[in-house]
Amino acid sequence: MSKTAALYQELAELDKNHFLHPTSPIQQQQEQGPAFIFKKGEGVYLEDVRGNRVIDGMSSLWNVNVGHGRTELGQAAMEQMSQLAFSSCFATFSNEPAIRLAAKIAEITPGDLSATFFTSGGSEANDTAYKLARHYWILKGQPSKKKIISRKKSYHGVAMGATSATGLKPFRDFTNSLAPDFYYTENLSAEALRETIEAEGPETIAAFVAEPIQGAGGVHIAPDGYFQEVRKICSEFDILFITDEVITGFGRTGKMFGMEHYGVAPDMMCFAKGVTSGYAQLGGVVFSKAMFEDFKELSAGTLLHGYTYSGHPMACAVGLKNIEIIENENLIENSRKMGEELLKGFKWIQGERELVSEVRALGLIGAVELKSDKGQFAPAVVAEAAKRGLICRSVIFDGMDILVFAPPLTINKQEINSLAEILYDSIFSVEKRI
């Protein structure tokens, strides 16, 4: 047995015996071992311990926006850790990276979003948004406003509040007790939102939360005018509008933030993932200037919400350097241009392969939908793609059969073409079995 094979076997056994994987089939892990054990990343590529090199068509978890192997981010982390690795931000303690990142986020976010509450990731950001939205209405003397409305096919994370807000039923069915006061409306109908609000009573509703593009639910892009109408409805009924930009933020859609495509500003915005490109754990919620002014005026005593790692100095330093890379290397424009190439590739596949029913993309987030009347084949295509050197993801909740993609914003045309060719071959291979 070669050293490489021996290393894989050793690690695979340790993995099966000691590592409970997130969002993974336990039975598959135990029977087959880990699909990949990665050891290196460079640009849009990942390499595993057996020497297999694959295109990371998902930016791992929609988050490695600036690509793998960016030594600048490692250097930023090392320098900050060498100086101040961690300090608490409780009791008004602060640190320079957190202050400067909060100011930078206020500068680049849409509308008058101006103050950030930092978390360690997207689930915490969403839980924070719902909790502080409810606290906001308590401060405003309207404690009955506590319901949160989200959209069907939405994904907002796996913490208790985030799970309860997620519009994908299998995630909610995972547990036998959800947080109260969460409601769901049709995902692409503003009129359905109005009807839900009127049925529940606007005086009971704290906030409506929506992703600019529904990512994990199948990359569903809102129709023209949808978010403009949603903003009007929320303002009309005095309901906070929260946008979940955890997946769509920091250049993913060809704009810095997804909501910029619609010319709409929220009252609160959740972010994570692309803020550090996954090089450090960081997320947050940004509040409008009006909300922040109300908090400053109405809050008395201690704001009893916070995480140990809120405003983590090293993570914030990495976030600052990451945003600098996105801006200096014009990665938002590259996302727009390469997104057009990605969609061209998808349309070429759609024209050639009978199994494909619909394709869509906005910037470097896209989907290839398969014909559900023929069965459910997305997982098989994902498996074939992995064999050929491409990582992508299937969405099969609620009868969907969709392949989703979100490659790093550094991807070039040649790499886009390679992605499309592998995807074509993978779909063709599955078609031959049908």
Side-chain angles (χ1 to χ4, degrees):
M1 182 183 293
S2 69
K3 287 184 178 180
T4 297
L7 175 62
Y8 175 81
Q9 187 174 45
E10 177 195 2
L11 292 174
E13 285 304 310
L14 290 171
D15 183 278
K16 288 190 288 184
N17 291 334
H18 303 292
F19 188 3
L20 183 61
H21 283 246
T23 315
S24 302
I26 296 175
Q27 187 175 14
Q28 177 183 319
Q29 177 205 13
Q30 293 302 310
E31 292 176 354
Q32 302 174 22
F36 290 96
I37 302 175
F38 291 116
K39 69 171 185 179
K40 182 181 178 182
E42 184 178 3
V44 303
Y45 295 96
L46 288 168
E47 184 178 320
D48 75 358
V49 297
R50 292 185 284 191
N52 298 307
R53 194 166 185 253
V54 297
I55 296 172
D56 185 0
M58 281 304 301
S59 297
S60 288
L61 274 177
W62 320 83
N63 63 336
V64 188
N65 288 15
V66 300
H68 297 280
R70 300 304 296 249
T71 57
E72 312 97 301
L73 296 180
Q75 183 69 28
M78 184 188 73
E79 290 176 359
Q80 183 58 48
M81 290 176 74
S82 299
Q83 182 175 341
L84 177 67
F86 174 73
S87 66
S88 169
C89 290
F90 285 26
T92 76
F93 293 178
S94 199
N95 63 80
E96 185 174 354
I99 293 168
R100 294 203 180 278
L101 181 58
K104 182 64 178 179
I105 289 171
E107 176 189 320
I108 63 177
T109 47
D112 67 346
L113 295 170
S114 65
T116 294
F117 185 102
F118 287 113
T119 69
S120 299
S123 291
E124 284 186 0
N126 272 274
D127 267 29
T128 294
Y130 314 145
K131 189 174 178 181
L132 292 186
R134 288 165 169 165
H135 182 66
Y136 174 79
W137 289 116
I138 291 172
L139 293 177
K140 296 279 283 184
Q142 300 181 66
S144 63
K145 290 175 76 68
K146 59 184 180 178
K147 295 176 182 175
I148 308 293
I149 299 175
S150 63
R151 300 191 291 165
K152 295 177 182 178
K153 297 185 179 178
S154 66
Y155 178 82
H156 299 291
V158 293
M160 187 53 71
T163 294
S164 302
T166 289
L168 296 165
K169 191 172 180 291
F171 283 91
R172 304 197 306 272
D173 290 343
F174 179 80
T175 180
N176 59 5
S177 181
L178 293 168
D181 297 314
F182 286 87
Y183 297 82
Y184 317 96
T185 192
E186 291 301 323
N187 65 323
L188 299 177
S189 168
E191 186 55 35
L193 173 61
R194 179 180 290 277
E195 291 170 0
T196 302
I197 291 169
E198 290 175 343
E200 293 300 324
E203 71 284 355
T204 70
I205 298 168
F208 169 66
V209 59
E211 304 155 276
I213 297 171
Q214 291 183 310
V219 185
H220 300 287
I221 301 171
D224 290 344
Y226 171 79
F227 278 113
Q228 291 87 341
E229 187 61 26
V230 162
R231 175 69 272 184
K232 290 178 184 176
I233 291 169
C234 288
S235 297
E236 176 185 342
F237 289 110
D238 203 17
I239 292 168
L240 297 173
F241 178 31
I242 305 170
T243 55
D244 180 345
E245 295 257 14
V246 169
I247 285 176
T248 53
F250 302 96
R252 172 58 56 194
T253 68
K255 300 279 189 182
M256 182 62 86
F257 295 97
M259 200 53 65
E260 293 179 54
H261 288 281
Y262 313 110
V264 168
D267 302 297
M268 305 166 70
M269 187 188 84
C270 302
F271 68 87
K273 295 189 183 289
V275 66
T276 64
S277 290
Y279 283 68
Q281 301 95 322
L282 185 66
V285 184
V286 200
F287 299 85
S288 70
K289 185 176 181 180
M291 281 193 72
F292 189 42
E293 290 299 323
D294 281 339
F295 272 120
K296 289 190 287 185
E297 180 182 344
L298 299 173
S299 182
T302 300
L303 182 73
L304 293 174
H305 181 72
Y307 303 100
T308 299
Y309 297 125
S310 292
H312 191 285
M314 182 275 289
C316 290
V318 172
L320 281 165
K321 177 58 70 171
N322 179 71
I323 294 170
E324 180 183 305
I325 291 171
I326 290 171
E327 292 180 332
N328 289 350
E329 297 185 8
N330 297 315
L331 294 185
I332 298 173
E333 178 62 10
N334 194 64
S335 176
R336 185 189 68 79
K337 288 181 178 178
M338 291 303 102
E340 292 174 356
E341 295 297 327
L342 183 68
L343 187 56
K344 283 181 188 177
F346 288 168
K347 288 181 176 178
W348 164 65
I349 294 169
Q350 182 182 22
E352 297 290 329
R353 299 269 49 95
E354 182 186 350
L355 188 59
V356 177
S357 62
E358 182 183 335
V359 299
R360 50 188 176 269
L362 184 60
L364 285 171
I365 180 170
V368 173
E369 195 157 342
L370 305 181
K371 293 181 179 176
S372 58
D373 61 328
K374 294 182 175 293
Q376 201 167 63
F377 298 104
V381 174
V382 169
E384 289 296 325
K387 294 177 189 176
R388 291 165 168 77
L390 169 65
I391 292 176
C392 56
R393 181 170 169 179
S394 63
V395 174
I396 56 174
F397 309 112
D398 299 330
M400 292 184 281
D401 199 26
I402 299 173
L403 300 159
V404 296
F405 300 83
L409 310 189
T410 55
I411 198 166
N412 61 38
K413 188 173 180 180
Q414 181 180 346
E415 291 161 345
I416 289 282
N417 290 341
S418 295
L419 184 157
E421 288 166 5
I422 294 171
L423 179 59
Y424 176 94
D425 290 342
S426 303
I427 293 172
F428 182 54
S429 175
V430 171
E431 277 187 346
K432 288 193 296 185
R433 296 188 227 153
I434 298 174

